[in-house]
């Protein structure tokens, strides 16, 4: 008999990313007795500092921000009942085009082979049955999200047996609803230029291309609270303005694309562990 617990490993770029796209599945599977492992690749040092001070502004201390966000990350993990937190502690690379992209120690500048080797060591230790990360564009083009995808896919080539692998995504219909909700909550958003509008329209996937729809509505409160634990970044976390009930209504379904599978489980599926139990 194999007494090793079923294990889910989520590989994310920054503190707070775990709650937004996978907080529901992390909480749901923890409640079902699955061992949940979160790997956070960067220290989040390009986030807001106390009082909302932005990177590059006077008074922004990346090291202090990273320390604060590490505490918030642990609080989020406690709320989601995550079994194990592993941090790679690369420097946050900031948004695409920022000078931080090329700063010494930044995740974006780190050779993929180096990051993959460290992640592969964790995969060998935990032997995940399911691995979740971002797609090749990091969902919306963030350099650290792209790099998380790259090191995850490279690490998987270094390890065996092969787990089921998923990339987070969103149905394009849901992305349109986000825009409606943002207007409902009075967001004064500038009209994007045609290039930005085209890029936004390409975020997510048509519904028929999504392989996996996991209902996490019952864990919406935990997901909301986990996001709220990242209080230092509250100004940037639009979802918190909805309140717990509306948040759960809008964010209760988490969606993925299955990119690696050896179980033969039929798609569309409603369980990341379909074919494994």
């Amino acid at each position: 008999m194999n007494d090793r617990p079923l294990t889910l490993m989520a590989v994310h770029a920054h503190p707070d990313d775990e709650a937004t796209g996978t907080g529901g599945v992390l909480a749901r599977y923890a409640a079902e007795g699955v061992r949940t492992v979160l790997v956070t690749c960067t220290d989040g040092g390009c986030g807001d500092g106390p009082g909302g001070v932005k990177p590059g502004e006077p008074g922004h201390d990346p090291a202090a921000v990273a320390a604060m966000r590490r505490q918030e990350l642990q609080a989020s993990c406690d709320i989601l009942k995550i079994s194990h937190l592993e941090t790679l502690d690369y420097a946050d690379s900031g948004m695409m085009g920022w000078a931080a992209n090329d700063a010494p120690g930044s995740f974006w500048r780190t050779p993929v082979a180096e990051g993959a080797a460290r992640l592969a060591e964790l995969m060998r230790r935990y032997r995940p049955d399911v691995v979740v990360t971002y797609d090749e564009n990091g969902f919306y083009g963030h350099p650290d999200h792209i790099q998380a995808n790259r090191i995850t896919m490279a690490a998987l080539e270094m390890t065996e047996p092969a787990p089921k692998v998923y990339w987070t995504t969103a149905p394009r219909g849901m992305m349109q609803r986000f825009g409606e909700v943002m207007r409902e909550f009075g967001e004064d958003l500038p009209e994007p230029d045609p290039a930005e509008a085209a890029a936004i329209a390409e975020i997510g996937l048509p519904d028929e291309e999504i392989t996996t729809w996991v209902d996490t509505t019952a864990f919406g409160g935990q997901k909301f609270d986990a996001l709220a634990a990242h209080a230092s970044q509250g100004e940037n976390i639009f979802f918190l303005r909805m309140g717990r009930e509306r948040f759960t209504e809008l964010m209760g379904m988490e969606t993925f694309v299955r990119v690696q599978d050896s179980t033969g489980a039929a798609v569309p599926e409603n369980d990341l562990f379909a074919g494994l139990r």
Side-chain angles (χ1 to χ4, degrees), residues 8-10 12 18-32 34-36 80-82 130 132 168 212-217 219-220 223 251-256 270-273 277:
L8 166 64
M9 175 179 283
H12 280 292
E18 79 290 339
T20 307
T22 59
V25 292
L26 287 165
R28 170 179 162 167
Y29 289 119
E32 293 179 5
V34 171
R35 180 173 62 169
T36 51
L80 296 173
K81 308 300 183 186
I82 290 171
V130 172
V132 175
T168 57
T212 311
W213 304 71
V214 184
D215 185 353
T216 63
T217 305
F219 303 92
K223 181 173 177 176
M251 303 287 286
M253 183 71 71
E254 293 185 350
T255 51
F256 307 85
N270 60 10
D271 180 8
L272 297 178
F273 290 87
R277 55 182 179 176

Side-chain angles (χ1 to χ4, degrees), residues 37 89 121 156 168 199:
V37 181
D89 288 326
E121 182 179 345
L156 288 162
T168 57

Side-chain angles (χ1 to χ4, degrees), residues 11-253:
V11 182
H12 280 292
H14 312 98
D16 77 28
D17 288 333
E18 79 290 339
T20 307
T22 59
V25 292
L26 287 165
R28 170 179 162 167
Y29 289 119
E32 293 179 5
V34 171
R35 180 173 62 169
T36 51
V37 181
L38 171 64
V39 181
T40 302
C41 296
T42 80
D43 61 10
C46 285
D48 287 359
V53 62
K54 306 296 182 185
E57 293 181 350
H60 187 277
D61 180 351
V65 170
M68 174 175 59
R69 297 194 71 184
R70 179 63 175 80
Q71 294 178 344
E72 293 174 340
L73 177 61
Q74 184 60 62
S76 172
C77 289
D78 292 344
I79 291 165
L80 296 173
K81 308 300 183 186
I82 290 171
S83 309
H84 301 275
L85 170 63
E86 299 285 351
T87 55
L88 301 185
D89 288 326
Y90 289 108
D92 189 340
S93 309
M95 300 299 287
M96 190 67 80
W98 287 15
N101 293 175
D102 296 317
S106 76
F107 190 37
W108 182 241
R109 182 173 170 176
T110 298
V112 169
E114 176 191 319
R118 294 182 62 195
L119 182 56
E121 182 179 345
L122 294 175
M123 289 180 175
R124 293 187 194 103
R125 181 189 310 169
Y126 290 108
R127 297 173 60 198
D129 301 281
V130 172
V131 172
V132 175
T133 192
Y134 316 98
D135 64 21
E136 294 164 308
N137 189 47
F139 187 59
Y140 66 97
H142 193 296
D144 287 332
H145 291 219
I146 294 170
Q147 188 76 330
N149 168 276
R150 290 174 177 172
I151 73 162
T152 300
M153 302 313 290
L156 288 162
E157 293 181 1
M158 302 176 184
T159 59
E160 54 182 41
K164 295 179 79 177
V165 180
Y166 294 88
W167 293 346
T168 57
T169 190
R172 290 204 177 132
M174 183 184 293
M175 296 302 295
Q176 293 173 354
R177 285 190 64 200
F178 285 155
E180 295 168 2
V181 171
M182 290 174 80
R183 287 190 291 274
E184 175 187 335
F185 280 83
E187 287 294 293
D188 185 17
L189 299 174
E191 192 68 27
D193 64 36
E196 289 177 339
I200 291 169
E202 291 301 310
I203 293 176
L205 289 173
D207 290 17
E208 63 271 15
E209 294 182 23
I210 293 173
T211 64
T212 311
W213 304 71
V214 184
D215 185 353
T216 63
T217 305
F219 303 92
Q222 274 178 266
K223 181 173 177 176
F224 183 90
D225 290 346
L227 203 54
H230 297 280
S232 68
Q233 309 307 306
E235 181 182 327
N236 300 320
I237 303 176
F238 162 74
F239 303 112
L240 295 176
R241 302 176 203 177
M242 301 179 190
R244 184 178 280 99
E245 184 176 343
R246 192 64 188 278
F247 173 87
T248 299
E249 175 189 333
L250 192 65
M251 303 287 286
M253 183 71 71

